[in-house]
Amino acid sequence: MKGVWNVKKNWMAIFMATALGSVCAPAVHAAQIPIALVPFTFAGRIVDYAHIAFDEDAAVEVRVKNLASALLAKTLTQTRGFTSCNYVITLPVMNQATAGTTVVGEKVVFEFVDPYGKIYSGLVSEGDAVVGNPGETKMLNIVLATDADKDGVADEYLESIEYWMWKNGIEGPYDASADYDGDGHSNYAEYIAGTNPCDATDRFTVRQMALEEGIGDYLKLRVPIVQGRSYSVDATDSLTEVDWQTVPFSEDPTKEPEATYLNTGASEVGYRTIFVRKDAPTRFFRLRVE
């Protein structure tokens, strides 16, 4: 009887091991299979020290690498019609770490190579340089410049504005919060808008706003355009309960408005006439520049 018991015990041990293997082995195997997920995308606007956007004529190469410096993707800036974005870079995403791909939650590294071959790195914070969920797009706007005092104004711009400050008898150092020409816009706002902070006649303002004759549903706006900037129009029905919403516009009032952004060309300056639909008896509009 003792020998029989030992045989049964051994048989049971073999049976249990086989049963566990039949259940667990496929699960372990499945977890080891690389599965391609929907890609993750970074997109946005890359500008120089003067906030002029790069395009295909003066392209910036965008590179995204992992922390081991392996290249994941690269692209070039280009003009994208009616949008403020001038780059879109898509990263291949997998369910597990695989060469040449990334995974959700991984930190990545950005490099930017300007048209003159200068490489910029460290312009994207760790918190922003994280891969999100498959199929999502994260917006990242980048200024290819240095900002030693972290005031949001590029050091290279400060060098270029010194002449205008000297010419107008303004003593330094440059103060982003001041209003040198007294036109109601801070120096920082003029930096973003691309206007001269030392010239009160050069300001970001809508030149004309009126109902278009014969087309009562449209409002005609004469808006400024500065080299490399993008503009959008927001609207709200109340200034007490403000809810600004970006609205489409058109350069031809006889056609349905399709564009949201007015993306100017590399050297285009002056004013442009656009039309926005007036959907309510009383509505307020604002023009936004970036």
Side-chain angles (χ1 to χ4, degrees):
M1 292 297 293
K2 182 178 181 180
V4 174
W5 185 85
N6 284 336
V7 171
K8 289 184 176 179
K9 181 180 180 182
N10 291 340
W11 177 82
M12 285 294 292
I14 294 172
F15 174 80
M16 290 175 66
T18 303
L20 288 172
S22 65
V23 173
C24 297
V28 173
H29 180 67
Q32 294 174 347
I33 298 176
I35 300 175
L37 305 177
V38 179
F40 179 79
T41 301
F42 288 100
R45 185 172 173 81
I46 301 177
V47 300
D48 65 10
Y49 73 90
H51 266 242
I52 297 175
F54 292 95
D55 57 18
E56 63 268 24
D57 294 328
V60 170
E61 183 177 81
V62 184
R63 304 169 182 168
V64 178
K65 301 179 179 181
N66 61 22
L67 296 183
S69 297
L71 183 66
L72 300 174
K74 65 179 181 179
T75 189
L76 294 173
T77 54
Q78 57 182 292
T79 301
R80 295 182 176 272
F82 291 101
T83 172
S84 65
C85 295
N86 62 355
Y87 85 93
V88 175
I89 188 162
T90 302
L91 305 185
V93 180
M94 303 288 284
N95 66 322
Q96 59 181 264
T98 308
T101 67
T102 185
V103 296
V104 175
E106 181 179 14
K107 292 182 179 180
V108 294
V109 176
F110 280 80
E111 283 186 355
F112 307 93
V113 185
D114 72 11
Y116 311 103
K118 183 177 179 179
I119 298 177
Y120 295 82
S121 59
L123 297 180
V124 181
S125 68
E126 287 189 4
D128 288 330
V130 176
V131 177
N133 293 324
E136 290 183 350
T137 297
K138 185 167 189 175
M139 302 301 296
L140 283 178
N141 295 327
I142 307 296
V143 180
L144 295 192
T146 58
D147 183 10
D149 56 7
K150 306 300 180 183
D151 65 349
V153 180
D155 298 336
E156 294 86 345
Y157 174 81
L158 300 182
E159 296 175 3
S160 69
I161 206 67
E162 284 180 352
Y163 167 75
W164 290 106
M165 293 174 61
W166 169 81
K167 186 176 180 180
N168 288 272
I170 302 171
E171 297 183 357
Y174 170 87
D175 182 356
S177 63
D179 180 8
Y180 287 158
D181 55 13
D183 63 357
H185 299 288
S186 71
N187 295 336
Y188 179 77
E190 299 217 38
Y191 166 61
I192 298 299
T195 54
N196 188 340
C198 301
D199 182 358
T201 64
D202 186 13
R203 56 186 303 182
F204 179 65
T205 183
V206 176
R207 179 63 62 88
Q208 180 186 15
M209 182 172 64
L211 289 175
E212 179 68 359
E213 292 184 7
I215 311 178
D217 292 336
Y218 284 90
L219 188 68
K220 179 170 68 174
L221 304 174
R222 187 74 171 160
V223 300
I225 51 174
V226 179
Q227 182 179 6
R229 263 65 176 182
S230 283
Y231 304 84
S232 58
V233 179
D234 296 335
T236 182
D237 295 330
S238 172
L239 292 181
T240 56
E241 298 180 3
V242 178
D243 182 24
W244 291 110
Q245 298 290 331
T246 301
V247 295
F249 58 80
S250 174
E251 295 181 335
D252 185 346
T254 63
K255 298 180 180 179
E256 285 294 321
E258 299 176 353
T260 299
Y261 290 95
L262 175 64
N263 192 22
T264 67
S267 59
E268 191 172 5
V269 295
Y271 282 82
R272 177 179 290 180
T273 299
I274 62 173
F275 299 86
V276 295
R277 186 181 291 276
K278 187 176 180 293
D279 295 325
T282 301
R283 209 167 196 203
F284 303 90
F285 297 88
R286 71 179 183 184
L287 181 66
R288 184 157 42 95
V289 59
E290 57 182 329

